[in-house]
Amino acid sequence: MKFHFQQALRALILLAFCGLIFQLHHTGDITKYINPKYSGLSQSASILFLILFFIQITRIWTSKKETEIHDHHHSHSCCHNQNDHECSHGHDHGDSPFTVKKLLSYSIIVFPLMTGFFLPAKTLDASIADKKGGLAILGNQNKEDAGQENFENIDENSADDFEEYSLEDNLEDFEEQIEQDPSVYEGEQEISKDEFEQLKKELNSSSVIKMDDFVFSLYYEEISKDIKKFKGREIEFQGFVYKEEGLDSNQLVVSRFLITHCVADASMIGFLSELEDAPKLYDNMWIKVTGVIDAAAYNGAELPLIKIKKWEEIEEPFIPYLYPINIKIL
């Protein structure tokens, strides 16, 4: 039997990718890279890598007879250059010597494995918010056309026709389930059109706007579109502190990152806030705040301004990101 080192290396790489994806799902860290709705797709990729691994195993060892047959066929199928007689059949059987080009190729493939296994999943933070534009991004979001609404053709008055019921208890139970088992979060961002409208109705009628992770992006969008409508309302939410150059000493941004597909398309959403204790707070500090909604101008755009009445430091959530609510079509 002949052992083929490069074929064995390729099998090991396939198994490593399978193991990495499995580990990310087992620990729940997969939610720090992709939207949970793609969890099934990444699990399928892990299974595919495992299948390819078993196929690759068959190429690691070959019998002496198989090697001789292969070498005989190879010698007759190669096209020979008249000057240096190099084989130009156009593919690599895995037995050719290591070259700089081949080493570079293997390094590119192995690099994400090394970082995935040995470096902890890093959460997007204030430094990334600054690179993405910070408050300028929030200002641009408020300048976008109202046509970006999830349902721009829905009759606003139709919400009154829905049966009145409260989702608050269900949302609190949902948050408790996430803390106990992060995998519960997968797929839970999909609701019906009626439930979507009911959430907006509760936003308009509740005495205190509670911005839990499930409704954060929806409520943020609604408040930003019509700040005057919500001015003076009390609000509760949590996020990380981001301080941008140029803000007053009593100002900061309480921010979150919204993930549509994966961290590559992450966008910052958050509220410009005023707080007397602002100088005591630092970037990336997670806080839970209660305040009153007001309005402020920034670079020609009107932004919601939260006048914080009380705050407390909290631990970074296991799932620090927000995900858009998907509406069931059928």
Side-chain angles (χ1 to χ4, degrees):
M1 297 289 287
K2 182 179 180 181
F3 176 76
H4 301 277
F5 173 75
Q6 291 186 48
Q7 299 290 6
L9 179 59
R10 294 172 184 179
L12 181 62
I13 290 174
L14 289 169
L15 183 61
F17 271 111
C18 174
L20 176 60
I21 298 175
F22 176 82
Q23 175 182 287
L24 290 174
H25 279 278
H26 179 69
T27 60
D29 283 340
I30 191 69
T31 57
K32 296 181 180 179
Y33 295 99
I34 64 172
N35 188 316
K37 72 178 181 179
Y38 297 113
S39 177
L41 186 62
S42 65
Q43 289 173 339
S44 299
S46 178
I47 295 173
L48 178 60
F49 279 124
L50 186 60
I51 294 173
L52 293 176
F53 163 73
F54 285 121
I55 295 174
Q56 183 64 24
I57 285 179
T58 63
R59 302 174 181 175
I60 297 177
W61 292 276
T62 56
S63 65
K64 183 178 180 181
K65 184 177 181 180
E66 289 176 331
T67 303
E68 290 175 351
I69 293 175
H70 174 268
D71 290 343
H72 177 75
H73 175 73
H74 175 69
S75 63
H76 285 80
S77 62
C78 281
C79 298
H80 297 280
N81 184 286
Q82 293 181 352
N83 296 324
D84 52 15
H85 302 284
E86 289 181 346
C87 176
S88 59
H89 61 299
H91 62 278
D92 180 16
H93 295 284
D95 297 321
S96 60
F98 272 100
T99 62
V100 174
K101 182 178 180 180
K102 184 174 290 189
L103 286 172
L104 179 61
S105 299
Y106 278 111
S107 298
I108 292 174
I109 296 174
V110 172
F111 179 74
L113 289 172
M114 300 297 290
T115 55
F117 278 116
F118 299 108
L119 293 181
K122 188 178 186 301
T123 303
L124 300 181
D125 56 18
S127 62
I128 303 299
D130 187 60
K131 291 178 181 178
K132 285 181 173 287
L135 277 175
I137 295 296
L138 300 184
N140 290 334
Q141 289 172 353
N142 288 343
K143 289 181 180 179
E144 289 179 356
D145 184 55
Q148 295 297 323
E149 297 180 43
N150 291 298
F151 286 98
E152 56 183 308
N153 295 323
I154 291 180
D155 182 3
E156 294 295 334
N157 295 325
S158 64
D160 295 331
D161 298 330
F162 292 120
E163 178 182 359
E164 293 189 7
Y165 66 96
S166 176
L167 296 180
E168 185 174 342
D169 293 337
N170 291 336
L171 292 174
E172 290 178 355
D173 292 341
F174 174 75
E175 287 183 314
E176 292 178 1
Q177 292 176 26
I178 289 177
E179 293 178 0
Q180 297 172 5
D181 181 9
S183 64
V184 172
Y185 197 68
E186 299 177 5
E188 291 291 341
Q189 289 290 94
E190 189 173 72
I191 61 176
S192 69
K193 181 178 175 181
D194 288 0
E195 289 173 326
F196 180 81
E197 285 301 312
Q198 181 63 31
L199 287 176
K200 293 203 296 184
K201 184 177 179 181
E202 289 190 353
L203 168 64
N204 294 324
S205 61
S206 59
S207 57
V208 179
I209 301 174
K210 296 184 178 181
M211 303 271 287
D212 57 59
D213 288 3
F214 184 78
V215 299
F216 196 111
S217 61
L218 170 62
Y219 285 7
Y220 175 81
E221 181 181 0
E222 293 296 311
I223 293 171
S224 298
K225 284 191 302 184
D226 192 354
I227 303 173
K228 292 181 180 178
K229 179 180 178 181
F230 298 95
K231 193 172 181 180
R233 297 273 298 278
E234 187 170 306
I235 186 171
E236 295 178 3
F237 63 99
Q238 63 184 30
F240 67 89
V241 174
Y242 165 60
K243 292 186 174 183
E244 183 171 300
E245 185 177 352
L247 292 179
D248 295 338
S249 60
N250 68 331
Q251 292 182 328
L252 51 83
V253 182
V254 184
S255 318
R256 299 296 296 269
F257 275 102
L258 179 68
I259 306 294
T260 303
H261 301 294
C262 65
V263 291
D265 62 33
S267 59
M268 188 188 84
I269 60 176
F271 293 102
L272 176 63
S273 305
E274 289 185 352
L275 173 66
E276 291 184 4
D277 292 336
K280 301 178 182 178
L281 279 58
Y282 52 87
D283 279 349
N284 302 320
M285 178 182 180
W286 278 81
I287 58 174
K288 182 176 182 179
V289 305
T290 299
V292 176
I293 301 175
D294 203 340
Y298 181 84
N299 285 349
E302 188 177 40
L303 297 176
L305 172 68
I306 308 301
K307 294 185 175 181
I308 300 176
K309 298 191 298 182
K310 60 180 180 179
W311 66 276
E312 62 176 313
E313 183 176 4
I314 60 173
E315 294 290 329
E316 178 182 311
F318 182 83
I319 301 179
Y321 303 136
L322 304 172
Y323 307 98
I325 294 178
N326 299 314
I327 312 301
K328 295 178 182 178
I329 303 300
L330 299 176

